[in-house]
Amino acid sequence: MDKKKLAKQLGVIVLVIALFAGLDTGIYQLFIKRVISHHSPGMQKMSVEVGNYVPFTGSENVFSAEGVSKLEGDIPVIDGAAALLPVYAGFVESIYPESSVIYNGEDYDAASAMHYTNTRGAYKDIVDGNADIIICAQPSDEQLAYAAEKGVELELVPIGSDAFVFIVNDSNPVDNITLDQIRGIYSGEITNWKELGGKNIQIAAMRRNKNSGSQTALEKIMGDIPIKPDYTTLFGSPIGFSFRYYVTGMLGEGGVKILTINGIAPTPETIADGSYPVAGNIYAVYRKGETNENVYKAIEFMKSPEGQKIVEQSGYIPLS
Amino acid sequence: MKDKTFISILAIIMVIGIGVTAGLMIHGYNLWKEISIVEMIANWG
């Protein structure tokens, strides 16, 4: 009798241990393994670490123009998207007085003429008057509605372009996708890679936060088609999206592959000539009716040959 | 094994198990906040 009881008790103990072991293995395999950073120094150079792009620190990641007139007087506060930090750090180093940039080692000081709050923060700041120029991709409908609600009209001046790209793990045999297939995936109509000529495995359609630059770009592609919630993205083989500059940093590391869209790869040539179907402009954004003439001088510089050289050196496509 | 001993062993295993699971999830969440979508896909073979 005691032996039977002991066997039952040991069985329960073993079962509980096995349940926890299974649960923790599942958490590791499905979640933690996928979010461990393998950033190499090469990738770090391409990805945006704020401290690597501080103007006037001699950073090799910031490209600036020599011998250009500096702005004087009322220096406009500049802000922008994470992916575009290299670009506007170069503009600032070229035409802003060094004393106007205050970086405390972790972030920009509130009194600094350069800020870094990312796309969502930058669009809010330009509307609220906390920034005078922001460097971003196009605004979302929500960001435009916020501006309208506050009675602010935004002027968007193109200063370059980049491609919006869709990426998969490089073990995925699918190389090409069409815009209709992208809409099918993100609306939930296409759920398995075999429908695109790939393996019989579920599609994990990853997305980003609302009002981020790349999520807004996806919403523009989707038009009126609702994007399905991503409850299932822990399973299957993923597809995601980003801007070309972000992804090219990873290509040397392996692990990801940029899909061609309608058979066209996002190269500087196909982006510049418009044949790549989802290229998008980079904008300098300011408030309509702005009275600070330095805002206009700064934007003129961005469009000038010197400014465009910074756009190109920073990894983006200059105005043609 | 006495019932009290069995319950105690089970309780210790549960506490350790829940602790490890919670720790893994917190660790994963902290990593997830830092990683880009691009790098996550690269890890996801």
Side-chain angles (χ1 to χ4, degrees):
Chain A
M1 188 67 180
D2 279 344
K3 275 187 180 176
K4 267 191 180 176
K5 188 178 173 188
L6 183 64
K8 268 188 188 175
Q9 287 172 333
L10 289 175
V12 170
I13 288 170
V14 169
L15 184 67
V16 171
I17 292 173
L19 280 173
F20 275 116
L23 178 66
D24 293 346
T25 305
I27 291 171
Y28 181 79
Q29 290 292 337
L30 287 171
F31 183 43
I32 292 176
K33 205 169 115 181
R34 292 171 180 171
V35 291
I36 293 171
S37 177
H38 300 293
H39 271 183
S40 69
M43 179 56 195
Q44 282 172 352
K45 191 177 170 187
M46 294 296 290
S47 72
V48 175
E49 303 281 342
V50 186
N52 292 343
Y53 295 91
V54 180
F56 308 112
T57 57
S59 167
E60 60 175 9
N61 303 314
V62 178
F63 300 94
S64 57
E66 298 285 335
V68 183
S69 300
K70 299 277 185 186
L71 299 175
E72 293 175 355
D74 187 2
I75 305 300
V77 174
I78 191 166
D79 198 344
L84 294 165
L85 180 58
V87 178
Y88 61 92
F91 293 154
V92 167
E93 189 168 274
S94 301
I95 59 172
Y96 276 49
E98 187 170 347
S99 60
S100 67
V101 176
I102 309 164
Y103 184 73
N104 65 19
E106 288 185 359
D107 204 351
Y108 289 95
D109 192 89
S112 174
M114 177 168 169
H115 289 173
Y116 166 69
T117 60
N118 216 332
T119 300
R120 289 188 291 172
Y123 269 108
K124 186 173 187 310
D125 280 354
I126 190 95
V127 171
D128 292 346
N130 297 326
D132 302 308
I133 306 170
I134 61 169
I135 308 298
C136 286
Q138 60 190 335
S140 68
D141 291 344
E142 203 173 297
Q143 284 154 343
L144 287 174
Y146 180 71
E149 181 191 319
K150 298 283 179 182
V152 174
E153 202 171 329
L154 298 175
E155 292 282 358
L156 280 69
V157 181
I159 57 166
S161 59
D162 197 21
F164 185 54
V165 297
F166 286 84
I167 50 174
V168 293
N169 186 274
D170 63 6
S171 65
N172 190 324
V174 173
D175 294 318
N176 180 62
I177 196 164
T178 67
L179 284 177
D180 282 342
Q181 287 170 335
I182 290 167
R183 294 185 189 104
I185 289 170
Y186 281 96
S187 67
E189 279 178 24
I190 298 175
T191 57
N192 194 300
W193 282 107
K194 74 178 176 188
E195 296 174 68
L196 306 181
K199 293 176 187 165
N200 182 13
I201 185 167
Q202 188 176 323
I203 298 173
M206 301 178 74
R207 65 213 66 206
R208 293 201 57 219
N209 296 328
K210 197 158 177 60
N211 293 325
S212 68
S214 52
Q215 184 68 17
T216 299
L218 176 72
E219 287 167 6
K220 301 284 179 192
I221 290 175
M222 296 298 285
D224 295 330
I225 304 168
I227 299 172
K228 72 161 184 172
D230 59 345
Y231 304 130
T232 58
T233 50
L234 279 179
F235 305 100
S237 180
I239 182 170
F241 49 82
S242 188
F243 289 99
R244 187 190 61 107
Y245 173 79
Y246 251 25
V247 183
T248 49
M250 282 300 288
L251 293 180
E253 311 295 317
V256 289
K257 176 168 72 173
I258 294 178
L259 296 176
T260 57
I261 296 184
N262 300 343
I264 299 166
T267 64
E269 294 74 28
T270 60
I271 297 166
D273 69 18
S275 57
Y276 182 74
V278 280
N281 281 331
I282 300 162
Y283 296 100
V285 184
Y286 66 97
R287 289 179 296 277
K288 190 173 184 179
E290 175 62 60
T291 54
N292 181 351
E293 65 175 20
N294 278 336
V295 168
Y296 302 101
K297 282 184 185 173
I299 292 173
E300 279 310 307
F301 169 77
M302 295 170 195
K303 291 160 59 186
S304 71
E306 291 87 356
Q308 289 297 294
K309 193 173 173 193
I310 292 170
V311 170
E312 188 170 17
Q313 287 174 318
S314 302
Y316 292 89
I317 312 301
L319 297 168
S320 50
Chain B
M1 196 186 306
K2 287 180 181 173
D3 284 351
K4 202 174 170 184
T5 311
F6 170 64
I7 297 293
S8 299
I9 291 171
L10 208 55
I12 290 168
I13 292 169
M14 294 285 279
V15 168
I16 293 171
I18 291 168
V20 170
T21 304
L24 270 175
M25 291 178 80
I26 291 166
H27 178 56
Y29 176 70
N30 287 329
L31 291 172
W32 174 75
K33 283 194 297 184
E34 299 295 325
I35 198 170
S36 71
I37 196 169
V38 182
E39 202 177 4
M40 203 185 297
I41 289 175
N43 290 349
W44 201 334

